[in-house]
Amino acid sequence: MDNRQLEVFATVAREGSFTRAAAHLHLVQSAVSATVAALESDLGERLFDRTTRRVVPTAAGQALLPHATLILDAFRAARDAVEAVSGGLSGAIRIGYMTNVTLFDIPELLGRFSHDHPDVTMHLAPAATGTAGLAEQLRRGDIDLAFLSATPDDYPGLQIDELASSPLGLAVPVGHPLAGRRRILLADTAPLRFVDYREGFASRTLLDIEFRRRGLHRDVQLETSDTNDFAALVANGLGVGFLPQYLAEADERLHWITLQDVDLSMRVSVGTSRDRLLSAAASRLTALALSGRPSA
């Protein structure tokens, strides 16, 4: 058993596919299969169950995975320490992020980081299942850091640092009967037809919890996972929606109404796992993100 075998094993476990693992590792699939087979032979145990749709770790694979992760983290830390002597920074960072969220300029941040550290490769993973999905990816070690919408209290097992926030309010098309309102009670929104994010996205979770807490029901008729689509769907009359103030006020087709009896915000935070050692590159990127926060 060697470091390369463990890296291939962990990548297959993370990707759930020999094909995707091969693409990630820049290897042919036969080489990935042969490496896993050799590791299984060394350990005398089958490490994966292969189904028609996904490759999943066996009980032996699940037992090996956290140890393989620790070994790979230690190996990476050792390499970082040697590179630090010469002042260089290399390696790769796996970054989860929310698409089309401009409250905090993630592309600009990544551009500055890449300019300063051109030998670091960044792999971007969009948040297909929202903040909840990004948090789970951090826990599993699928990504090194994430830009997500969360507070430290939301995920105690993660290190969460807020970068920016904007109040959530009710957005309606400018021709809507409520377009003359400046403030509204949450209960008064319940009879309306809504556009919203899919379940798992942070603002959807916040609002669903608040409506349930008050014994209210609302009708979400259209769901999306894209922030720009969300605003456009509301602007084109497909429903009202709870949008952050910065986004609604940037679109002249929308009117934004303050929620007068509840204080909810959309946040952009940077999150990392408390249980895994960050690489030097990931640590440097996190520090750069925090340095760009508005002062209190």
Side-chain angles (χ1 to χ4, degrees):
M1 181 169 57
D2 60 32
N3 180 72
R4 184 58 172 168
Q5 289 175 327
L6 291 177
E7 182 181 15
V8 171
F9 160 75
T11 304
V12 173
R14 183 174 65 249
E15 298 291 338
S17 163
F18 281 82
T19 301
R20 289 195 296 272
H24 180 84
L25 294 166
H26 305 292
L27 297 171
V28 295
Q29 185 173 334
S30 59
V32 172
S33 298
T35 301
V36 170
L39 181 58
E40 289 177 326
S41 178
D42 287 347
L43 295 173
E45 293 285 349
R46 185 165 49 86
L47 298 174
F48 292 104
D49 284 327
R50 297 155 177 84
T51 69
T52 55
R53 300 188 65 181
R54 188 167 175 82
V55 175
V56 296
T58 62
Q62 292 173 4
L64 175 61
L65 186 56
H67 298 285
T69 301
L70 287 173
I71 291 169
L72 292 170
D73 284 348
F75 181 84
R76 183 173 58 184
R79 183 182 59 203
D80 289 344
V82 173
E83 290 177 347
V85 173
S86 61
L89 198 64
S90 62
I93 315 175
R94 298 163 299 171
I95 304 164
Y97 71 104
M98 301 176 292
T99 58
N100 293 324
V101 173
T102 57
L103 180 59
F104 184 87
D105 196 339
I106 296 170
E108 187 275 337
L109 170 73
L110 300 183
R112 282 193 289 129
F113 180 84
S114 181
H115 178 269
D116 293 340
H117 308 290
D119 294 329
V120 175
T121 301
M122 291 180 281
H123 301 285
L124 302 181
T129 53
T131 283
L134 290 173
E136 182 58 27
Q137 287 180 287
L138 283 173
R139 291 193 193 99
R140 292 198 309 258
D142 295 348
I143 54 179
D144 300 306
L145 63 89
F147 295 98
L148 69 177
S149 184
T151 70
D153 291 338
D154 294 331
Y155 300 101
L158 302 178
Q159 176 65 42
I160 303 288
D161 293 287
E162 185 177 310
L163 302 174
S165 67
S166 180
L168 284 173
L170 184 70
V172 302
V174 291
H176 193 275
L178 293 174
R181 296 279 295 272
R182 294 297 173 187
R183 300 171 69 81
I184 193 168
L185 295 171
L186 189 68
D188 291 341
T189 71
L192 303 173
R193 182 178 65 183
F194 281 91
V195 177
D196 210 333
Y197 290 112
R198 294 191 175 96
E199 291 185 359
F201 283 72
S203 64
R204 172 70 182 268
T205 301
L206 284 173
L207 287 154
D208 283 351
I209 290 172
E210 189 63 27
F211 270 83
R212 285 196 300 268
R213 189 181 72 82
R214 296 172 183 233
L216 299 172
H217 172 76
R218 65 179 176 132
D219 183 14
V220 178
Q221 293 202 346
L222 193 58
E223 295 180 327
T224 183
S225 58
D226 186 278
T227 299
N228 287 342
D229 283 351
F230 191 164
L233 291 168
V234 173
N236 282 282
L238 290 158
V240 303
F242 293 108
L243 287 173
Q245 185 176 12
Y246 87 94
L247 183 63
E249 292 186 346
D251 191 330
E252 62 184 11
R253 301 170 299 172
L254 295 174
H255 174 73
W256 190 82
I257 307 170
T258 299
L259 295 172
Q260 68 184 71
D261 59 338
V262 62
D263 183 15
L264 300 174
S265 294
M266 176 195 167
R267 293 174 168 84
V268 176
S269 303
V270 60
T272 57
S273 173
R274 294 184 185 274
D275 299 327
R276 302 184 68 240
L277 184 66
L278 274 183
S279 69
S283 180
R284 194 78 60 85
L285 176 57
T286 302
L288 186 62
L290 294 174
S291 72
R293 290 186 295 184
S295 56

